Amino acid sequence: MTSLGHRSTEIPLHESLMLEVIARLPVKSIIYWKCACKKWRDLISDPYFVQLQLFASRGSLLIYERNSDIKDGNPESLIWVDIIPHEADKYRLDFIKTLNSLHVKVMSYGTLQVGSVNGWICYAHPAGIFYLLNPVLKGNMFLPEPQLNLNMLSSGFGVSTVGEYKVIRICYRKLSNEPGYKIEIEVYTLGVNRWKRLGQTRYNLISLSQEVESGVFVNGHVYWIINRRIYDFDLNSETFLLIPSPLRPGKSQALDKVLGVVKGRLSWISWCGVRLEVWVMKEGSWCKEIAIEGGHANPCLKLLVTCKPSCVIDGSHGTSILIFHDHLRKKVVAYCLDTKKFLNLNLHGGCFEAIKGYRPSFVKLWNF
């Protein structure tokens, strides 16, 4: 998270106080204020307000929906909804917009969300095209084609501690003289306008039997689970390392796992039919934050029979909300990890392909 900047001397005190209030409004209301007149557009575009809003921004959802009618050429739509606290254990969903217009014309089957940072979302198209999109600013940019003509295992998107936005490709090639695969890394830094090949890593993969999710960005690093192990790419030094996981040898190997961000820290969420655990990285060590047990008698664990966690977003009052997509019952379910209660979203999703967390922002990348 970027720290708050100083108030611009050109903004009168009473207006800066008003901007602090507006920064905490739902993003749909802020977009409305920005369109009200030129003065408000300029104030909301001021770097001081951009940092205020980025600091106060809440989690929202990006929902990828399969279209039955593809006359517009897009087999998938991207729906953006805000989650607003309404009553105790209830949230109100505020539809913001559907992004199946010119801003996402290359959306197609197989397009993956690589990650999102400071309001910008990175996508990887099946044809090898990477592009960035900011739904708030209605802006996008396409990246040059990668240099490595290799199969892509996964990818990631993040920003270094010095403000360099980078896209990472993890590729693999078959080893010629032994079984397994060699990992190679390629990085694109916005502003450099070319992909940089980092070469082969020290790590070999025995098999590629499991699909690898896109990387999770946390505080200058991007993390992946590959074959039940955690790999860390440092965006400052551009090094790729294997780091310890919460798994103990010979135990918990059968659990399903996903990485996420809980209260600004890297988290490891694992589950099976009898328990769900949330581990959080603190000062280089894993700490078990949450353990839910009880088998199918527990409503949360019973839910895991038909669905799996999609993402973790920030809720109100410092809470963390785990979002489930129940494919069998065709609905979206939210579970508060702090209160251990289900939240009523009243969101049904029969044609939803994927659900991702998103924190909107007015940060501009036009200088790149």
Side-chain angles (χ1 to χ4, degrees), residues 126-165:
I129 301 170
F130 285 81
Y131 62 100
L132 305 180
L133 167 73
N134 188 318
V136 178
L137 301 175
K138 298 181 180 179
N140 58 35
M141 62 180 73
F142 289 80
L143 307 187
E145 290 188 14
Q147 296 180 1
L148 284 177
N149 187 22
L150 296 176
N151 294 318
M152 189 173 74
L153 179 64
S154 188
S155 53
F157 176 51
V159 58
S160 70
T161 56
V162 295
E164 293 180 325
Y165 288 80

Side-chain angles (χ1 to χ4, degrees), residues 69-210:
D69 182 5
I70 57 173
K71 293 180 180 179
D72 60 357
N74 293 313
E76 291 184 2
S77 293
L78 175 56
I79 304 170
W80 176 21
V81 295
D82 202 0
I83 301 180
I84 301 173
H86 183 51
E87 298 175 2
D89 301 331
K90 290 185 179 180
Y91 281 70
R92 176 172 60 86
L93 290 179
D94 189 13
F95 171 81
I96 300 177
K97 62 175 69 175
T98 299
L99 300 169
N100 59 342
S101 61
L102 291 173
H103 304 297
V104 201
K105 267 297 182 186
V106 294
M107 185 69 70
S108 67
Y109 292 125
T111 299
L112 300 175
Q113 179 175 322
V114 175
S116 63
V117 180
N118 294 342
W120 286 87
I121 312 164
C122 179
Y123 291 99
H125 189 267
I129 301 170
F130 285 81
Y131 62 100
L132 305 180
L133 167 73
N134 188 318
V136 178
L137 301 175
K138 298 181 180 179
N140 58 35
M141 62 180 73
F142 289 80
L143 307 187
E145 290 188 14
Q147 296 180 1
L148 284 177
N149 187 22
L150 296 176
N151 294 318
M152 189 173 74
L153 179 64
S154 188
S155 53
F157 176 51
V159 58
S160 70
T161 56
V162 295
E164 293 180 325
Y165 288 80
K166 300 183 180 184
V167 179
I168 307 103
R169 293 180 73 232
I170 301 180
C171 303
Y172 63 92
R173 69 167 72 243
K174 187 78 172 62
L175 294 173
S176 57
N177 55 355
E178 58 182 293
Y181 304 84
K182 175 66 74 173
I183 296 179
E184 297 196 28
I185 305 291
E186 191 174 22
V187 178
Y188 180 87
T189 302
L190 268 66
V192 177
N193 203 36
R194 64 178 178 84
W195 289 85
K196 180 169 66 173
R197 184 174 178 178
L198 301 183
Q200 294 184 351
T201 71
R202 70 180 77 172
Y203 307 108
N204 293 348
L205 299 178
I206 302 302
S207 67
L208 298 172
S209 57
Q210 292 181 326

Side-chain angles (χ1 to χ4, degrees), residues 9 14 16 32 39 48 60-61 80 89 93 113 130-131 149 185 218 241 244 249 288 292 298 310 319 325-326 332:
T9 55
H14 71 281
S16 69
Y32 171 81
K39 181 178 180 179
Y48 173 70
S60 59
L61 294 178
W80 176 21
D89 301 331
L93 290 179
Q113 179 175 322
F130 285 81
Y131 62 100
N149 187 22
I185 305 291
V218 189
L241 298 174
K288 186 188 292 187
I292 302 173
N298 185 297
S310 295
T319 59
H325 183 196
D326 191 334
V332 178

Side-chain angles (χ1 to χ4, degrees), residues 261-263 312-316 318-322 335-338:
V261 183
V262 173
K263 297 178 175 60
V312 181
I313 63 172
D314 296 327
S316 60
T319 59
S320 298
I321 301 174
L322 188 58
Y335 183 81
C336 181
L337 293 172
D338 300 271

Side-chain angles (χ1 to χ4, degrees), residues 260-331:
V261 183
V262 173
K263 297 178 175 60
R265 299 178 184 271
L266 177 67
S267 64
W268 165 288
I269 303 171
S270 58
W271 67 93
C272 65
V274 295
R275 70 180 181 276
L276 181 144
E277 296 178 350
V278 179
W279 295 74
V280 176
M281 177 70 79
K282 294 182 178 180
E283 299 180 355
S285 300
W286 288 103
C287 302
K288 186 188 292 187
E289 290 284 297
I290 299 169
I292 302 173
E293 300 179 346
H296 293 170
N298 185 297
C300 179
L301 298 177
K302 185 177 181 180
L303 186 67
L304 292 170
V305 175
T306 58
C307 61
K308 75 171 190 174
S310 295
C311 59
V312 181
I313 63 172
D314 296 327
S316 60
H317 308 296
T319 59
S320 298
I321 301 174
L322 188 58
I323 303 295
F324 296 88
H325 183 196
D326 191 334
H327 293 269
L328 185 62
R329 297 179 179 85
K330 297 183 178 180
K331 64 179 181 179

